[in-house]
Amino acid sequence: MTTSRQPVVRDAVLAALEGALRAPSEHNTQPWRWTLLPDRLELAVDPHRRLPFTDERGEGVLLACGAALHHLRVGLAARGWTPVVRLDREGPPQRRVAEVAWEPADAVPDDARRQAAAIDRRRTDRRRFAAETIDPGVLDELALVARTFGAALHVVGGHARRALVDAMRDAALLQLDRPGYTAELQRWTHRYAGGADGIPHSARLAEPHLYDDLVLRWFPGGGLHQPPGGADHADVSTLIVLTVDGDDTASVVRAGEAMSAVLLEATAHGLAATPITQVLEVDETRDRVQALTGGHPVVVLRVGRPVPEAPEPPRTPRRDLVSVLVDRSAEPDEQDAR
Ligand SMILES: Cc1cc2nc3c(=O)[nH]c(=O)nc-3n(C[C@H](O)[C@H](O)[C@H](O)COP(=O)(O)O)c2cc1C
């Protein structure tokens, strides 16, 4: 990379990092830390932002970091830079999960342009969806973007859907009994006014998260109402389980990239989605999901068309870039000095 290009790259990298802040994370904990070096970025898990009573196995933080990494990837690509990503195999306790360098690209790939444009529009939507089935061609496209990151999508219907929904209901009950779980939920749903993380009142459903037989994670006392029209209790969503082959750090970070790619692609197609990990956080119910799908299930995606009259769900807050970025780009690189 030539010196004359460096300010241009720096602007592109910082803009892509701003976009990466919008990645989804469990309870909106934003468990990522970035370090900017002269010629690359490093991404690490922020261990203080793990949810020890909810995300006992620590997969949630890796999925969120993977989502942030993918948001960065498309942000760089949309600005004319090809990201060169190296995932760390061992991950925590070293905590670094990936390193990203960049090379000038000849052209901006269409999918990067489309997905980068969806970053600001994507929201977790827990409300009722419209009674409209998703075009199978769109589901195929979602499966294709997941495959790019080594993940498989399982659209769960019929008997398997019933088994998944039963497991989700059981997980919701079992998790409520877990010591520390409810306190953690309170902590991340009742932040100080003006807080830049957690799930705000405006994004939590006012009514219980119950749709017929489908039970979503319960968040206390919300202010988000169901859209007008139709029965409040019907759920017509498509349930999709995302699986990967391995459960090592790099596989789960990659699964987080796949989750992000699917969510952004779904947004680009005008779909709404809820990422759900609750059913996979309880060993017994995770085993039941795994029996349905095979592989290593990492997240369930509830996907559908938004009700036409529904207002946009609120934008959840984020910490600003200076809170999550250490800028060492002006310092001599230790790796080069060695
Ligand atoms: C790994 C992961 C697990 C999540 N699990 C759930 C869940 O079980 N239930 C739910 O309602 N939302 C879940 N979410 C959605 C987050 O609460 C949401 O991403 C966060 O509050 C930020 O809001 P946003 O997605 O609208 O930007 C999960 C998100 C991620 C990335």
Side-chain angles (χ1 to χ4, degrees):
M1 182 194 324
T2 59
T3 315
S4 61
R5 272 213 188 106
Q6 272 180 352
V8 182
V9 188
R10 189 182 160 83
D11 287 352
V13 171
L14 292 178
L17 278 169
E18 286 284 352
L21 298 175
R22 295 302 316 161
S25 58
E26 191 162 19
H27 291 11
N28 198 17
T29 46
Q30 307 160 42
W32 41 71
R33 277 183 183 164
W34 293 99
T35 304
L36 179 59
L37 296 162
D39 61 349
R40 65 188 187 281
L41 277 163
E42 288 184 351
L43 170 62
V45 168
D46 181 342
H48 304 295
R49 292 185 161 263
R50 203 189 120 207
L51 300 165
F53 300 103
T54 309
D55 176 26
E56 280 183 307
R57 291 176 315 126
E59 278 201 357
V61 288
L62 298 178
L63 289 171
C65 283
L69 178 61
H70 177 262
H71 275 50
L72 176 91
R73 213 189 249 279
V74 296
L76 281 174
R79 289 172 177 82
W81 294 91
T82 302
V84 182
V85 175
R86 198 178 60 75
L87 298 181
D88 283 66
R89 286 277 137 207
E90 65 275 27
Q94 192 198 342
R95 292 186 187 137
R96 191 181 75 171
V97 292
E99 205 176 65
V100 187
W102 40 81
E103 286 168 357
D106 296 333
V108 174
D110 283 347
D111 57 345
R113 201 189 300 278
R114 203 171 50 243
Q115 291 175 18
I119 286 180
D120 259 347
R121 282 186 284 126
R122 187 207 58 81
R123 310 269 194 279
T124 292
D125 195 343
R126 304 178 179 91
R127 296 173 303 176
R128 186 167 50 78
F129 297 150
E132 200 183 308
T133 47
I134 304 174
D135 178 351
V138 173
L139 290 175
D140 288 346
E141 282 181 41
L142 299 185
L144 195 66
V145 296
R147 252 199 314 276
T148 318
F149 294 96
L153 291 189
H154 305 259
V155 177
V156 179
H159 289 307
R161 182 183 166 105
R162 163 124 314 279
L164 176 61
V165 163
D166 284 351
M168 288 169 73
R169 187 200 50 235
D170 291 351
L173 286 173
L174 289 165
Q175 222 176 18
L176 273 183
D177 279 344
R178 231 183 226 176
Y181 173 78
T182 311
E184 201 160 71
L185 199 65
Q186 285 288 335
R187 187 170 156 228
W188 287 95
T189 47
H190 292 78
R191 312 300 277 171
Y192 290 115
D197 54 15
I199 307 184
H201 179 258
S202 59
R204 306 195 303 268
L205 279 182
E207 296 88 8
H209 299 197
L210 275 173
Y211 299 103
D212 284 343
D213 51 354
L214 181 69
V215 179
L216 301 186
R217 193 195 293 280
W218 172 78
F219 295 101
L224 179 64
H225 292 282
Q226 294 287 2
D232 266 2
H233 301 296
D235 188 71
V236 285
S237 63
T238 300
L239 295 180
I240 302 173
V241 183
L242 190 150
T243 65
V244 283
D245 287 339
D247 62 357
D248 58 293
T249 297
S251 298
V252 180
V253 171
R254 243 178 139 224
E257 290 208 77
M259 173 187 73
S260 165
V262 172
L263 290 174
L264 292 179
E265 198 66 38
T267 304
H269 281 284
L271 297 174
T274 327
I276 299 163
T277 49
Q278 181 168 51
V279 67
L280 305 170
E281 288 164 351
V282 175
D283 291 346
E284 192 245 320
T285 52
R286 186 180 62 252
D287 289 349
R288 282 156 58 186
V289 178
Q290 189 166 30
L292 293 174
T293 59
H296 179 63
V298 287
V299 66
V300 177
L301 301 172
R302 171 182 172 261
V303 184
R305 289 245 164 245
V307 171
E309 312 81 55
E312 269 211 334
R315 193 175 150 94
T316 50
R318 293 295 188 275
R319 294 179 296 152
D320 51 19
L321 190 53
V322 292
S323 311
V324 301
L325 176 69
V326 177
D327 186 354
R328 289 179 40 212
S329 58
E331 296 172 22
D333 194 336
E334 278 166 29
Q335 207 167 286
D336 292 345
R338 257 183 253 133

